[in-house]
Amino acid sequence: MSSVLRARDKEALLRAPLATLQLIKLAATEETALAMRTADLFSFRRPGISVSAQLLGYQAKEGVWVVAVHFCALGSFSTPLTGIVYLNPQEPRVLELLYPLARQERLPLLLFSPQLKITIRQQAPWSVQQRQEARLLLAHLRHYAGEGVSLTSMQGAEFERARQEFERVYAGKSAPSLTLSSSQTLLSSFRGVVLE
């Protein structure tokens, strides 16, 4: 486990409640990965588990960006297991986590026992299209920062309002299949739409 996790990711996982999905950077490979501590670790060892993930970018009406990674696991569970990680691109570490998603060919999922002693690995495919979407999202975040809006100067409350707006706009939709409705268009500012 020590060769997989960096110290700050280990501390963050231990501080977070069980079943809290987090995005981390793997120590050895520098890949971005999803990680979670769970008391139901061995459900993920059963054969036939299928994992998928999707990166979404949303710019709220006020111009604040929200980045989300949605995860879904199918298999011998009674219902699909889903989770979402919201990332605030105002935080420098978030961009460090997003850059590998423009290059890597898989998104590892590491499931840990509550004390991080046992690890089970799964992985979601990360297609060429998903890598292109990550590059597009990064380009929009860089453009937004280039317009003189400092991604690091905004307050956390603004991000929280933007996250809540994202959830209201897309409530009831299944995040892995989120698509733009016919009334939405991809404008240069990308306000109020999900980038997929």
Side-chain angles (χ1 to χ4, degrees):
M1 188 265 313
S2 60
S3 63
V4 173
L5 291 177
R6 298 186 299 179
R8 69 177 170 191
D9 291 326
K10 179 181 177 182
E11 291 169 17
L13 281 165
L14 287 171
R15 278 194 314 269
L18 283 177
T20 301
L21 199 60
Q22 297 185 35
L23 213 59
I24 64 168
K25 191 176 252 192
L26 298 180
T29 63
E30 294 294 310
E31 286 180 302
T32 295
L34 288 166
M36 180 176 71
R37 291 185 311 133
T38 178
D40 191 24
L41 187 65
F42 294 100
S43 292
F44 289 90
R45 272 208 172 133
R46 296 180 185 145
I49 302 291
S50 168
V51 179
S52 64
Q54 182 176 15
L55 177 67
L56 304 168
Y58 178 80
Q59 189 177 26
K61 292 175 188 171
E62 301 300 319
V64 177
W65 278 92
V66 176
V67 175
V69 178
H70 184 273
F71 148 84
C72 182
L74 303 169
S76 57
F77 312 110
S78 56
T79 60
L81 297 177
T82 62
I84 193 161
V85 179
Y86 290 104
L87 303 166
N88 183 348
Q90 302 166 30
E91 299 170 5
R93 183 172 183 267
V94 169
L95 293 178
E96 175 188 325
L97 290 168
L98 292 178
Y99 282 114
L101 294 179
R103 299 182 310 268
Q104 64 192 54
E105 296 179 2
R106 62 191 179 120
L107 182 63
L109 170 66
L110 289 94
L111 300 141
F112 294 99
S113 61
Q115 298 305 315
L116 304 178
K117 294 185 187 292
I118 302 170
T119 307
I120 293 177
R121 290 175 174 255
Q122 294 284 345
Q123 66 181 21
W126 201 248
S127 69
V128 171
Q129 179 181 349
Q130 288 171 299
R131 294 192 296 273
Q132 289 171 338
E133 291 166 355
R135 286 191 287 276
L136 178 64
L137 177 58
L138 286 163
H140 285 288
L141 293 173
R142 283 191 299 267
H143 175 74
Y144 182 62
E147 291 179 342
V149 180
S150 171
L151 291 174
T152 58
S153 67
M154 292 184 244
Q155 300 299 315
E158 291 174 309
F159 173 77
E160 186 58 26
R161 283 192 297 275
R163 185 191 63 77
Q164 290 171 357
E165 179 183 320
F166 171 81
E167 289 178 341
R168 278 192 310 274
V169 169
Y170 293 96
K173 288 190 178 186
S174 172
S177 60
L178 277 176
T179 56
L180 296 171
S181 70
S182 58
S183 64
Q184 294 172 311
T185 57
L186 293 178
L187 305 174
S188 58
S189 66
F190 284 83
R191 285 197 208 297
V193 298
V194 171
L195 293 177
E196 293 190 281

